[in-house]
Amino acid sequence: MAVKIRLQRHGKKNFAFFHIVVADTRAPRDGRFIEQIGSYNPNTNPATIVLNDERALAWLNVGAQPTLVVRRILSYEGVLLRKHLQGGVAKGALTQEQADQKFNAWKAQRDAKINAKIEGISKAAADAVKAAHEAESKVNQERAEALAKKKAEAEEAARAAAEAAAAEKAAKEAEAAAAEATAENPEA
């Protein structure tokens, strides 16, 4: 029986996640499987991978063939590197301690890279929020300046209108005084 390590689709439309399963090649994609060894969620950033490394390595050692995507996932998680190092130990090229040391160094480097990506994503999100806040405060300041300018223009127009009304009233009073003076003194 030919055995493959492949993905089994779950989730809703446009929001899929996958189980990593060991299945007979003749079984349908989402059908019968032998063993579930992990899950893969590409909807998160970075993608969430939960994998039983020991079981994946055991299945690879007995001849299970991973699909292309699962091969990438196994490589990302270091299962293929462990298989390679175990082959070196079996041939006598290196000791188990050396293999473990190489794998641990690789794992530390990979974890540092993942943490840097996560920090970069969170920093980029914080910078985007800060930039949006600064843009909003700039727009609010421009609005406040425009409103203050409009208010000052309205006050200036009201002051000018009041001065014009006062001047008109003074002119009417002067006319009225002149008219009274001519009415009291018609000879002049």
Side-chain angles (χ1 to χ4, degrees):
M1 169 172 65
V3 177
K4 283 215 177 262
I5 302 175
R6 64 183 179 198
L7 297 178
Q8 190 177 58
R9 188 183 195 283
H10 291 278
K12 57 186 179 180
K13 187 163 86 173
N14 296 328
F15 203 75
F17 68 93
F18 302 91
H19 289 170
I20 303 170
V21 297
V22 177
D24 184 7
T25 55
R26 297 169 293 185
R29 178 192 72 180
D30 299 335
R32 175 180 284 192
F33 60 89
I34 299 169
E35 181 181 1
Q36 179 180 339
I37 58 172
S39 64
Y40 168 60
N41 185 0
N43 300 312
T44 60
N45 191 6
T48 305
I49 299 171
V50 177
L51 184 67
N52 184 344
D53 298 345
E54 299 299 323
R55 293 303 303 154
L57 185 61
W59 278 106
L60 286 174
N61 286 334
V62 295
Q65 293 298 312
T67 60
L68 292 176
V69 175
V70 173
R71 181 176 291 279
R72 296 274 319 250
I73 292 171
L74 294 177
S75 176
Y76 180 78
E77 288 294 311
V79 175
L80 296 180
L81 177 65
R82 282 184 51 200
K83 182 180 183 215
H84 175 73
L85 292 173
Q86 290 301 327
V89 170
K91 291 178 182 176
L94 58 143
T95 64
Q96 184 64 42
E97 294 80 26
Q98 291 172 332
D100 291 341
Q101 184 180 12
K102 284 186 179 187
F103 180 74
N104 290 336
W106 175 86
K107 187 86 163 171
Q109 182 182 10
R110 188 198 70 142
D111 291 343
K113 189 186 294 186
I114 290 172
N115 289 337
K117 182 176 182 179
I118 291 171
E119 289 173 8
I121 290 170
S122 62
K123 186 175 186 292
D127 290 345
V129 168
K130 185 177 179 181
H133 180 68
E134 289 174 357
E136 184 178 351
S137 64
K138 183 179 178 183
V139 168
N140 288 344
Q141 184 180 4
E142 289 174 357
R143 284 183 184 165
E145 289 172 0
L147 188 61
K149 184 178 178 183
K150 194 174 188 180
K151 187 176 179 182
E153 289 174 358
E155 288 176 358
E156 186 66 32
R159 189 176 315 121
E163 288 175 3
E168 188 177 319
K169 185 177 179 182
K172 283 185 181 182
E173 288 176 0
E175 269 184 41
E180 273 184 34
T182 54
E184 289 179 10
N185 209 354
E187 297 134 12

